[in-house]
Each structure stands twice: as structure tokens, then as C-alpha cells.
Amino acid sequence: MKTKIESIQEISKNTVIAEILAKNPEKARWLSEKMMQFGIHCVGCGASTFETLEEGVLGHGYSEQELTLLITDLNKIIQ
């Protein structure tokens, strides 16, 4: 029996990266492209199953301001 994964209502800095795609499968392509264009390739990394968006972005040397911009763009995609 398959269980339905509920869509994320809003992406935050505390959202686990893998959940962004898993809970928005119909928009996963655009979400992953946005993250790749931003400069983080976390979508294909094993750490994405436990690493938050904040940890991934700041861990790759980006600023809090850049993180906020990415979150805004990702939320636009899921709306």
C-alpha cells in the first residue's frame, strides 16, 4: 500500500533537501534545476537525506542573504 507524501506548504532554511523534491514530485525538475543553477548540487548527494537547506547552502560558502534568495525562488516554484 502506497502512502501519499504531502506537499510542503513552504520551504524554509530548516527543510531537509531531499524532502523538497520528494514532497513536490511534479515540480522536482524545476526545483533541482534552480538549486543546481544556484551552485549547490545537493540534490544528488547522499547528505541530502539529512542535511537542511541552510546546512547545504552555508556549508558551500554561500551567505545567509543568498540562502534567503534561494528559499524565495524555491517557494515561487512550489506555489
Side-chain angles (χ1 to χ4, degrees), residues 38-64:
F38 178 80
I40 58 169
H41 302 111
C42 299
V43 294
C45 174
S48 69
T49 60
F50 60 85
E51 191 171 70
T52 65
L53 193 55
E54 179 181 44
E55 292 168 333
V57 170
L58 299 182
H60 286 287
Y62 293 96
S63 69
E64 288 278 348

Side-chain angles (χ1 to χ4, degrees), residues 26-44:
E26 71 287 349
K27 297 183 180 174
R29 176 181 173 203
W30 294 280
L31 292 164
S32 61
E33 284 179 2
K34 177 53 73 178
M35 286 188 265
M36 299 277 277
Q37 290 170 353
F38 178 80
I40 58 169
H41 302 111
C42 299
V43 294

